[in-house]
């Protein structure tokens, strides 16, 4: 019988990809929250400019786009990426579970905790704290 010729530390590859996907999902959620704050900050912006005749004119910019969608879209996308990362980690690790003994439940708990943190920060940032 031939010896297994795959990578020696296959779990490291799986864990690194898992952590990268969790961080990416969390970052996308935070970017969405920051974009919501930025859209709100520029909602009532006005620009003062001088025309060709030397008169000072001002132009008001109003943000008619729904800022809730700007924040909720990336939050949901980030949470889906995190959920996909958790399920993919569990599937990938179940294939190599017999070769390596790793704390799978701790990694899944870490992912679920980060997902819950994502949800709490998103809900607090969008709905609870006033802008």
């Amino acid at each position: 019988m031939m010896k297994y010729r795959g990578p020696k530390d296959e779990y490291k590859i799986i864990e690194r990809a898992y952590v990268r996907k969790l961080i990416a999902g969390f970052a996308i959620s935070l970017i969405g929250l920051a974009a919501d704050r930025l859209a709100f900050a520029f909602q009532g912006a006005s620009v003062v400019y001088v025309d060709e005749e030397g008169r000072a004119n001002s132009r008001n910019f109003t943000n008619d786009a729904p800022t809730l969608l700007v924040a909720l879209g990336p939050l949901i996308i980030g949470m889906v990426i995190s959920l996909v990362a958790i399920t993919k980690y569990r599937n990938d690790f179940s294939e190599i579970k017999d070769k390596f003994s790793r704390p799978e439940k701790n990694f899944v708990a870490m992912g679920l905790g980060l997902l819950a943190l994502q949800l709490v920060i998103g809900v607090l940032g969008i709905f609870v704290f006033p802008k």
Side-chain angles (χ1 to χ4, degrees), residues 15-128:
E15 288 171 0
R16 285 182 190 150
Y18 173 62
V19 170
R20 277 193 303 256
K21 288 176 186 172
L22 284 178
I23 290 172
F26 192 72
I28 288 172
S29 296
L30 289 180
I31 288 170
L33 190 59
D36 176 52
R37 297 295 175 169
L38 190 65
F40 182 77
F42 289 133
Q43 186 172 10
S46 62
V47 175
V48 177
Y49 62 94
V50 178
D51 62 4
E52 297 169 353
E53 299 168 355
R55 291 181 301 197
N57 294 323
S58 67
R59 182 172 180 189
N60 293 329
F61 293 99
T62 58
N63 186 6
D64 296 332
T67 58
L68 185 63
L69 184 62
V70 170
L72 281 179
L75 177 67
I76 292 171
I77 291 170
M79 291 179 69
V80 167
I81 288 173
S82 297
L83 282 173
V84 167
I86 292 169
T87 56
K88 184 162 176 29
Y89 173 77
R90 291 209 51 186
N91 290 339
D92 290 347
F93 195 78
S94 66
E95 295 175 5
I96 62 167
K97 189 186 288 188
D98 54 338
K99 298 176 196 144
F100 304 105
S101 62
R102 298 293 290 168
E104 176 193 5
K105 292 180 183 177
N106 292 346
F107 281 99
V108 171
M110 176 186 69
L112 291 174
L114 193 61
L115 185 68
L117 181 68
Q118 229 173 326
L119 181 65
V120 168
I121 288 174
V123 168
L124 288 177
I126 296 170
F127 298 112
V128 177

